[in-house]
Amino acid sequence: DAGVIQSPRHEVTEMGQEVTLRCKPISGHNSLFWYRQTMMRGLELLIYFNNNVPIDDSGMPEDRFSAKMPNASFSTLKIQPSEPRDSAVYFCASSPRQGNTEAFFGQGTRLTVV
Amino acid sequence: GESVGLHLPTLSVQEGDNSIINCAYSNSASDYFIWYKQESGKGPQFIIDIRSNMDKRQGQRVTVLLNKTVKHLSLQIAATQPGDSAVYFCAENSRRDMRFGAGTRLTVKP
């Protein structure tokens, strides 16, 4: 298996623009997580899905952030409009089931908003 | 809210020595814990896990200890090597989600 695949690896955008981050989880995994990593706040859980259904989005910082999982093999995290403080590395992770199991991480998307 | 945190933000050890990285958690209901290693430019990678019904688990060169009385986890790395240099996170996994501590940067000196 290729592991969790994220795209793009790097994204530079201007403030106010829409940004869409993409994730392909490991085939057969039922849970998917989106994390944001910054020096100041570390790894923050933004949202997670189980069986394509959002279970907890309490970590999503603002209404500018939205996430979808239209099917078991694809998820998106969208920021609109983007702001410089959104600059961070965004990770997607998947796990075989909900709870009590390790999560497998993608390589991350480094987002820079200028 | 409840969170997972680390005692030491940085740790520097000599190659060949043993390393101990500590982590405190606050959710007494947590029943599963994981240690991850993150190298520069990469996502976190699983090292070892432990369930709350255990107090020790060993892997290859790594050992995790769990003290539920004081809500403390530690990761012990034996004979630390330069390739062990990375940031190490403990994660608290519940039936709902997985949340990470702040991380400890381990530097191995040759």
Side-chain angles (χ1 to χ4, degrees):
Chain A
D1 198 316
V4 176
I5 300 173
Q6 291 186 247
S7 64
R9 288 294 310 276
H10 302 273
E11 176 79 34
V12 180
T13 190
E14 290 185 345
M15 182 174 63
Q17 295 298 305
E18 175 182 302
V19 175
T20 299
L21 311 181
R22 297 173 175 80
C23 176
K24 177 177 166 47
I26 293 173
S27 177
H29 282 194
N30 294 331
S31 292
L32 183 140
F33 306 83
W34 281 101
Y35 289 88
R36 176 172 67 177
Q37 187 174 38
T38 61
M39 291 293 292
M40 293 297 294
R41 301 173 70 91
L43 266 167
E44 300 175 276
L45 177 65
L46 301 178
I47 185 171
Y48 80 96
F49 296 82
N50 192 55
N51 292 325
N52 311 339
V53 176
I55 303 299
D56 186 348
D57 65 354
S58 61
M60 297 284 263
E62 299 173 33
D63 290 344
R64 298 184 295 107
F65 286 69
S66 63
K68 294 182 180 179
M69 192 164 186
N71 56 62
S73 60
F74 184 65
S75 178
T76 59
L77 178 67
K78 183 179 293 186
I79 308 172
Q80 180 185 21
S82 58
E83 297 182 4
R85 61 195 168 116
D86 302 330
S87 297
V89 180
Y90 290 81
F91 287 103
C92 175
S94 70
S95 65
R97 58 188 180 275
Q98 184 177 357
N100 291 356
T101 184
E102 69 175 286
F104 297 79
F105 281 76
Q107 296 280 51
T109 295
R110 180 174 293 278
L111 173 65
T112 303
V113 183
V114 298
Chain B
E2 298 185 292
S3 63
V4 179
L6 292 179
H7 292 159
L8 299 174
T10 61
L11 178 64
S12 183
V13 300
Q14 206 70 37
E15 181 178 357
D17 287 352
N18 297 333
S19 302
I20 299 177
I21 301 171
N22 297 302
C23 173
Y25 66 94
S26 58
N27 186 355
S28 56
S30 296
D31 55 4
Y32 181 64
F33 305 89
I34 307 171
W35 280 101
Y36 283 89
K37 172 185 180 183
Q38 186 177 25
E39 297 174 291
S40 180
K42 298 183 179 180
Q45 291 180 293
F46 171 88
I47 300 174
I48 190 168
D49 59 1
I50 188 167
R51 300 189 185 278
S52 59
N53 60 353
M54 305 170 67
D55 54 19
K56 181 179 180 179
R57 190 163 190 223
Q58 287 185 290
Q60 187 176 12
R61 286 201 305 118
V62 294
T63 301
V64 55
L65 300 178
L66 174 62
N67 185 330
K68 293 182 286 294
T69 302
V70 295
K71 301 193 192 75
H72 184 268
L73 275 168
S74 68
L75 176 70
Q76 301 178 1
I77 304 173
T80 312
Q81 302 169 359
D84 296 326
S85 293
V87 177
Y88 290 80
F89 295 92
C90 64
E92 174 183 12
N93 190 240
S94 69
R95 290 183 56 82
R96 290 181 59 80
D97 60 22
M98 181 166 59
R99 298 183 185 267
F100 285 75
T104 293
R105 180 174 298 280
L106 174 65
T107 301
V108 182
K109 296 178 289 186

